[in-house]
Amino acid sequence: NAGVTQTPKFQVLKTGQSMTLQCAQDMNHEYMSWYRQDPGMGLRLIHYSVGAGITDQGEVPNGYNVSRSTTEDFPLRLLSAAPSQTSVYFCASSYLGGNTEAFFGQGTRLTVV
Amino acid sequence: TQLLEQSPQFLSIQEGENLTVYCNSSSVFSSLQWYRQEPGEGPVLLVTVVTGGEVKKLKRLTFQFGDARKDSSLHITAAQPGDTGLYLCAVPHAHTGTASKLTFGTGTRLQVTL
């Protein structure tokens, strides 16, 4: 079982470059989300989606774009990378509704220099 | 203002010791989850508690949801090195209509040494 797959695992970008973090899940989950994890700040929600064609902003959306063209994929785009976006990024998926288990990918460690 | 406050932030103990970590808030929640995250991995769900006062046990881990559903605790008995990791509590954003949308606490980083 693949679960949630994120690529790449590591990335170094120069300030101003753009890139896309990939996320795919094979559990037919309606809900997908992106978090960033910084020391001492836990996981903060960037964007989320409740189904194909539907996305919404989370707590820290600035500088990031998402789209959801299929149930399986939920890519996160950095439009113009900044050092403040240096972080570990996690994609998660779950069924819709309360008390559902969120499944996380292994994360992408991004450094912007 | 952080919705969920976890304490302590860091905890380093020896194998065999007992410990308790806390997740506190001034808000009332319909449910609360605990996740554990090992280095280089994503968080993995340990338990979901839904009823005020509820106690759930998972081997040596005991989880309790506060009577008022504003806080929770995680107690580990006879800690082992395999318990090392970051423990995160999380609650749903039920008021937005998307209960799947989770807010996480800042986490407690536990290290258990031999």
Side-chain angles (χ1 to χ4, degrees):
Chain A
N1 292 335
V4 179
T5 303
Q6 285 185 239
T7 56
K9 289 192 176 182
F10 301 94
Q11 183 71 50
V12 178
L13 287 180
K14 293 183 179 179
T15 297
Q17 285 185 318
S18 62
M19 79 161 294
T20 299
L21 279 63
Q22 302 292 343
C23 175
Q25 53 94 6
D26 62 357
M27 296 172 281
N28 203 32
H29 286 161
E30 305 95 339
Y31 183 82
M32 296 186 74
S33 56
W34 277 101
Y35 290 87
R36 60 177 289 173
Q37 186 173 38
D38 303 292
M41 303 196 69
L43 289 159
R44 291 184 293 167
L45 183 64
I46 304 171
H47 286 286
Y48 65 96
S49 168
V50 298
I54 306 169
T55 64
D56 206 345
Q57 295 181 350
E59 182 185 358
V60 287
N62 292 341
Y64 308 94
N65 273 357
V66 292
S67 60
R68 183 99 179 266
S69 56
T70 67
T71 299
E72 294 79 20
D73 300 297
F74 190 44
L76 178 72
R77 296 182 186 84
L78 279 69
L79 308 173
S80 177
S84 61
Q85 293 179 303
T86 294
S87 187
V88 182
Y89 292 85
F90 287 97
C91 178
S93 74
S94 70
Y95 291 112
L96 276 176
N99 306 331
T100 58
E101 178 177 1
F103 291 85
F104 286 81
Q106 288 193 307
T108 296
R109 183 173 293 275
L110 174 68
T111 302
V112 182
V113 298
Chain B
T1 302
Q2 187 70 26
L3 181 66
L4 294 173
E5 296 285 349
Q6 289 190 243
S7 61
Q9 278 190 301
F10 302 97
L11 195 53
S12 181
I13 62 171
Q14 291 189 318
E15 183 180 19
E17 292 185 23
N18 301 332
L19 67 117
T20 303
V21 300
Y22 301 92
C23 176
N24 295 303
S25 177
S26 57
S27 301
V28 177
F29 303 110
S30 59
S31 64
L32 186 144
Q33 295 181 322
W34 283 94
Y35 288 79
R36 179 168 66 205
Q37 183 180 16
E38 297 184 7
E41 302 290 330
V44 175
L45 179 68
L46 294 173
V47 76
T48 301
V49 286
V50 284
T51 306
E54 180 179 4
V55 176
K56 280 192 173 179
K57 293 192 176 183
L58 184 66
K59 297 183 181 178
R60 293 175 294 99
L61 279 61
T62 301
F63 304 85
Q64 183 163 10
F65 202 12
D67 290 341
R69 291 184 287 124
K70 292 183 178 182
D71 51 69
S72 181
S73 63
L74 158 58
H75 181 79
I76 302 179
T77 303
Q80 298 178 359
D83 297 324
T84 293
L86 179 66
Y87 289 81
L88 295 158
C89 60
V91 294
H93 281 250
H95 66 281
T96 68
T98 307
S100 304
K101 185 178 169 186
L102 295 175
T103 291
F104 284 83
T106 50
T108 292
R109 190 166 299 279
L110 172 66
Q111 182 172 19
V112 182
T113 56
L114 293 171

